[in-house]
Amino acid sequence: LSRSLAQGEAARFPTEHLVLNFPGSRHVTIAIGHGVSSEWQTVVGESFANTVIITQRGIPLPSALSEGVSVIEIAQGEQAKTLVEVERVAVRLVELGVTRKDLLVAVGGGTVTDFTGFVASIYHRGLSYLNVPTTLLAMVDAAIGGKTGVNLPLGKNLLGTFYQPTGIIVDLDLLASLPEQEWLSGRGEMVKYEFLGIAGLGRMSLPEQVLQCVRYKAAVVTVDERDSSERERLNYGHSIGHALEALSLKRGYSDRLSHGVAVAKGLYVESLLAMRLGRIGLEGVKRHRLTLEKWGFDLSAPSWCRAHEVVSAMGRDKKNFGNFRVALDGPNGVEVVGGVPVDEILSTVAQWIAEGKR
Ligand SMILES: NC(=O)c1ccc[n+]([C@@H]2O[C@H](COP(=O)([O-])OP(=O)(O)OC[C@H]3O[C@@H](n4cnc5c(N)ncnc54)[C@H](O)[C@@H]3O)[C@@H](O)[C@H]2O)c1
Ligand SMILES: [Zn+2]
């Protein structure tokens, strides 16, 4: 359905341009629309001696971008986000003669944009890069905001930088080949924005949904570039969601929850937590359930889910060292709440698991 919307609405959805302004006269141009890859040079706004695309096998490369350009493929999946891979790519860039005056172009999902942004921020002490997200999740989230990074064996994204791209190309045509599970994952990230304040998001066309989410994230990151307050609200659904995602990944392929599917469950459980803490009533929980179900999410607890395991997986999340800070709904909308007692989280997850057994 989403895919046919992506293609069928082409005629009616005009290209949009946004400019994000950051302190120090830095700005990032975003082009959103069908086929906007062909505008990449206008978005970048200057010419570079050398352009190098960084991507992964199986990702569609727009011909407008790739003609006559060197391409480096990085490892498949999350395996790409390692220091070993950073070194391998950096060596290749040296061999290609790339300098600080050149341009890197990330073509891929959040894995590729995180990786490329990180390399761009440290190679020759920093060169320009362009993000061309090819997953729904990267279009509405990962490619925007300048958070870059790779993983350590101890955890995800433990090494990283804040480093804005020169521009972002959100070409909706690139979604045509996106696998179904990646659609669902992207929709889990999108539905979060409806709770954060984009009313009626679920009723919009796909291009309009992408545009609204991009606008929302762009507005948040320009007021809080370094993730100190406002940007933390974007973690709504992620405290529980990340824990569920991490536990599922340890269990193997058949139990695997994609990021967005885990976030959708997390959004529901965090609404139960907000009710337990007296921040919202039963109506608020029902609103979460109805909205998430309309977006097509199954809100049941996985059969393997144990409350104490979820809570200890939350403890290992790098955002939760020491105390639990959780983005929670409340009378003033979603806010980040500190000092949430572990026992309340434990009881909430247990309540969620029990719901499915009734
Ligand atoms: N920097 C940030 O602010 C931020 C925010 C959210 C997520 N992230 C990071 O993003 C990563 C996840 O990104 P993702 O969800 O985009 O997944 P992904 O980059 O891992 O891509 C998922 C899969 O889809 C394939 N793929 C991508 N585009 C395709 C296309 N158009 N057609 C066919 N196949 C395609 C990829 O090869 C991969 O196998 C994580 O590493 C996460 O930490 C970063
Ligand atoms: Zn997310």
Side-chain angles (χ1 to χ4, degrees), residues 24-344:
S25 311
R26 291 173 299 136
H27 64 269
V28 177
T29 305
I30 310 183
I32 306 162
H34 290 276
V36 285
S37 301
S38 60
E39 291 187 17
W40 73 274
Q41 270 156 324
T42 320
V43 168
V44 167
E46 51 186 308
S47 58
F48 293 89
N50 254 313
T51 300
V52 178
I53 290 180
I54 298 184
T55 189
Q56 285 173 319
R57 195 161 12 96
I59 289 177
L61 274 190
S63 55
L65 264 166
S66 54
E67 263 162 35
V69 162
S70 309
V71 177
I72 301 178
E73 279 185 1
I74 56 173
Q76 289 297 96
E78 191 77 18
Q79 299 301 324
K81 284 174 59 176
T82 63
L83 275 184
V84 173
E85 198 66 353
V86 169
E87 182 172 347
R88 188 182 70 80
V89 169
V91 167
R92 188 77 193 105
L93 293 176
V94 175
E95 288 167 354
L96 290 169
V98 172
T99 72
R100 205 189 290 178
K101 295 194 170 60
D102 297 324
L103 177 75
L104 300 186
V105 181
V107 183
T111 302
V112 175
T113 57
D114 273 15
F115 176 91
T116 306
F118 185 63
V119 170
S121 69
I122 56 173
Y123 183 81
H124 283 224
R125 299 192 177 81
L127 79 167
S128 301
Y129 75 110
L130 175 73
N131 270 343
V132 185
T134 62
T135 63
L136 192 55
L137 186 135
M139 289 182 181
V140 299
D141 190 5
I144 309 161
K147 267 201 212 172
T148 83
V150 295
N151 306 328
L152 287 177
L154 290 175
K156 264 174 68 87
N157 301 326
L158 289 176
L159 295 175
T161 53
F162 286 100
Y163 194 69
Q164 297 297 340
T166 300
I168 306 167
I169 300 279
V170 180
D171 185 343
L172 299 163
D173 289 351
L174 300 180
L175 294 172
S177 55
L178 194 66
E180 207 54 45
Q181 77 267 19
E182 299 303 332
W183 272 104
L184 200 58
S185 184
R187 286 170 61 76
E189 202 70 60
M190 280 212 294
V191 66
K192 169 189 85 176
Y193 290 99
E194 181 152 351
F195 296 113
L196 289 176
I198 308 181
L201 186 66
R203 293 192 297 276
M204 296 174 194
S205 68
L206 179 87
E208 191 61 31
Q209 286 174 334
V210 172
L211 175 65
Q212 295 300 332
C213 294
V214 169
R215 276 206 186 124
Y216 193 98
K217 177 143 191 195
V220 171
V221 300
T222 42
V223 296
D224 180 19
E225 186 179 9
R226 295 205 161 228
D227 209 357
S228 52
S229 56
E230 188 60 21
R231 203 164 165 171
E232 270 190 281
R233 290 175 71 241
L234 296 173
N235 290 329
Y236 191 36
H238 283 62
S239 296
I240 298 286
H242 270 154
L244 294 172
E245 184 185 6
L247 290 172
S248 80
L249 291 180
K250 277 203 290 187
R251 295 184 58 83
Y253 192 77
S254 60
D255 286 336
R256 180 179 171 272
L257 296 176
S258 71
H259 179 72
V261 166
V263 167
K265 290 183 192 288
L267 287 164
Y268 177 61
V269 179
E270 289 178 19
S271 77
L272 293 173
L273 178 60
M275 182 169 76
R276 181 173 288 271
L277 297 174
R279 295 179 53 84
I280 59 170
L282 188 59
E283 278 310 303
V285 171
K286 280 190 186 153
R287 184 174 70 91
H288 277 75
R289 175 177 274 287
L290 273 178
T291 304
L292 289 159
E293 284 177 348
K294 267 195 200 147
W295 277 73
F297 290 103
D298 165 18
L299 301 179
S300 61
S303 59
W304 46 261
C305 191
R306 303 287 173 270
H308 66 277
E309 286 179 1
V310 174
V311 173
S312 62
M314 284 174 73
R316 284 196 292 273
D317 182 335
K318 70 182 188 305
K319 294 187 181 72
N320 285 319
F321 284 138
N323 66 357
F324 282 101
R325 281 174 72 76
V326 186
L328 289 173
D329 202 4
N332 305 317
V334 176
E335 290 169 320
V336 178
V337 180
V340 177
V342 171
D343 286 350
E344 301 288 9

